[in-house]
Amino acid sequence: MRRKKQKQEININFANLNPYGVNIFNVWVKFPKKLFFIFLSALLYNVGVAIFLNKAATVASGVSALVQALTYTVSATAPYFAYIYFAINLPLIIIFWKKNSSLFMVMTLYWLIFQMVVQSFFLIPAVHNAFDKISFYYVNWTKDTPFKDLIPWDVYGTNYPPHVLPGVPNPTWPIIIYAIVGGLAAGASSGLAWKNSGSTAGSDIIVYYVSRVKKMGIGFISTIFALIIAAFSALLIGILEATGVIKNHPWNLASYLLRCISTLVYIFVYNGFVEILYPKYRKVKIEIYTKNPQKVIEHLKEIKYWHGYNYVDMTSGYTGENTTKIETMALYLEQSRIKAEISNIDPQAWIVVSTVNKIFGNFNTSKIDE
């Protein structure tokens, strides 16, 4: 009897995590727009990594640190980052498939698939060479040098043609620029994925679970995870480069320290951007001033409004007319939906939204956890 009860509870919990009845097949019908943006996210992420972060040799954070360790020690695997990343993520997908929202897991799985598709395109020699050519700094630049003859900056200074190697300048300042721009691109990619019910996989899968259970912001938890893993990654890469294990990566302490600093910059830029685009548990106070309170309140009951609210009759100091203020606390990501519901019932309602710093007590987050 007890086992049957436990099984029933598990089924109920899983049903709550999949209110849309979504799976890897019907998601194309139910959420085609979200899938499109998930694809754009994967594309933007690959561009950010291929053009900027890889060139800065920033230290990977999250699950991608495992891939970086492999591609550093076995350089032949470097072009297949997305495929290795997918393989490493499969255990996480399986473990958290019934612990996280089904829509989130399906979208994250497709993000991984789209990433492999995009990287396959980037492996085409002409495309790969075109991206390699893009740089903020060219070591042989002059105003008379044709673009096809320009030599892009290389963080290690080992990929220059032999005829330019002697005395070629190899500054370290591009590392910071690449890290910032790459962080913005990757952060925008991640924020786009989160806004469309997915993620960039890896530690994001764990972050989502912790965030949902602890009701904490995605950006904050992700930053903590990233800093911890980046610290271990930096130590490992430092050892590998200092001991000469990695070929064509000559040890340069100043460059290494700058790359570590750039990684910190990248982490904060990346997660700051995610928090701006997807402030999951940020709270707001919504005040609705209406002359049709009965209709508005009845509508809130009809839609089974999921937050508490109160109302009070008052007199306008400006017009002298009677009005009613309905006040509720909601999540930042819910405000558009709430405003739309109110405007449909009372287009003349005056709605004020203000930021709430902290709320102590239970708060219903089911609508954004779906």
Side-chain angles (χ1 to χ4, degrees):
M1 185 73 177
R2 189 175 178 181
R3 287 183 181 177
K4 190 178 288 186
K5 185 177 180 182
Q6 286 179 343
K7 187 175 181 181
Q8 185 179 5
E9 287 176 356
I10 292 172
N11 289 337
I12 291 171
N13 290 335
F14 181 62
N16 291 339
L17 291 173
N18 192 16
Y20 304 108
V22 72
N23 57 50
I24 59 175
F25 302 108
N26 64 18
V27 69
W28 290 92
V29 177
K30 293 190 173 187
F31 298 101
K33 185 177 178 181
K34 285 182 181 289
L35 276 172
F36 172 73
F37 283 111
I38 290 293
F39 172 77
L40 285 185
S41 169
L43 176 62
L44 183 59
Y45 185 87
N46 273 274
V47 169
V49 170
I51 297 181
F52 305 111
L53 295 178
N54 278 350
K55 292 181 179 179
T58 52
V59 178
S61 58
V63 172
S64 58
L66 298 175
V67 187
Q68 188 180 58
L70 176 62
T71 56
Y72 263 41
T73 52
V74 185
S75 58
T77 62
Y80 309 104
F81 180 97
Y83 308 100
I84 301 169
Y85 189 59
F86 178 83
I88 290 178
N89 269 280
L90 279 180
L92 287 175
I93 293 288
I94 294 169
I95 292 169
F96 287 91
W97 190 260
K98 291 189 177 183
K99 295 180 184 293
N100 288 336
S101 159
S102 294
L103 181 59
F104 171 81
M105 295 305 295
V106 169
M107 288 297 178
T108 298
L109 177 60
Y110 271 109
W111 188 92
L112 287 166
I113 294 171
F114 290 149
Q115 191 199 23
M116 289 191 293
V117 171
V118 172
Q119 190 170 75
S120 297
F121 174 72
F122 284 2
L123 287 176
I124 298 172
V127 177
H128 177 75
N129 293 336
F131 278 111
D132 269 356
K133 194 73 173 178
I134 299 172
S135 180
F136 288 118
Y137 180 78
Y138 297 93
V139 296
N140 66 331
W141 183 88
T142 66
K143 63 179 182 179
D144 299 320
T145 306
F147 181 75
K148 65 182 180 63
D149 295 331
L150 290 175
I151 301 171
W153 170 84
D154 174 65
V155 65
Y156 296 105
T158 57
N159 291 325
Y160 301 137
H163 68 278
V164 300
L165 273 176
V168 67
N170 202 56
T172 54
W173 62 262
I175 294 174
I176 292 287
I177 305 300
Y178 277 117
I180 293 174
V181 178
L184 289 172
S189 163
S190 184
L192 190 61
W194 281 107
K195 282 183 74 71
N196 288 279
S197 306
S199 75
T200 56
S203 58
D204 283 354
I205 296 173
I206 303 172
V207 166
Y208 179 89
Y209 177 77
V210 175
S211 172
R212 185 173 62 83
V213 172
K214 299 295 184 181
K215 308 301 180 188
M216 298 171 67
I218 296 291
F220 174 75
I221 299 174
S222 183
T223 299
I224 300 300
F225 268 81
L227 288 173
I228 293 171
I229 298 174
F232 284 104
S233 298
L235 179 62
L236 175 62
I237 289 173
I239 293 171
L240 292 174
E241 290 186 356
T243 55
V245 173
I246 307 174
K247 295 180 180 179
N248 297 322
H249 288 194
W251 175 245
N252 183 324
L253 179 60
S255 176
Y256 169 75
L257 292 176
L258 188 57
R259 284 159 53 203
C260 290
I261 294 171
S262 297
T263 299
L264 288 176
V265 172
Y266 157 72
I267 288 172
F268 284 106
V269 169
Y270 175 93
N271 289 300
F273 218 73
V274 170
E275 193 62 31
I276 291 171
L277 291 176
Y278 190 70
K280 186 174 183 181
Y281 292 113
R282 186 183 301 171
K283 315 293 193 303
V284 294
K285 179 171 73 172
I286 301 177
E287 296 172 317
I288 304 158
Y289 296 86
T290 176
K291 294 178 182 177
N292 300 294
Q294 200 62 37
K295 288 175 63 178
V296 173
I297 292 170
E298 284 178 4
H299 183 66
L300 291 176
K301 291 178 180 178
E302 283 177 10
I303 64 173
K304 297 180 180 179
Y305 182 63
W306 50 97
H307 295 304
Y309 60 93
N310 53 60
Y311 54 92
V312 59
D313 294 329
M314 54 180 58
T315 302
S316 169
Y318 180 70
T319 64
E321 297 178 350
N322 293 329
T323 189
T324 298
K325 180 179 79 168
I326 302 172
E327 184 178 284
T328 184
M329 300 294 175
L331 294 166
Y332 179 88
L333 296 177
E334 297 173 327
Q335 60 177 305
S336 296
R337 178 177 177 180
I338 294 170
K339 285 189 288 185
E341 293 285 355
I342 300 302
S343 297
N344 285 337
I345 296 301
D346 184 4
Q348 303 302 316
W350 196 47
I351 302 173
V352 178
V353 179
S354 54
T355 302
V356 175
N357 291 324
K358 282 188 179 181
I359 290 180
F360 297 95
N362 293 329
F363 201 86
N364 187 347
T365 61
S366 60
K367 296 299 179 182
I368 63 167
D369 286 334
E370 294 175 349

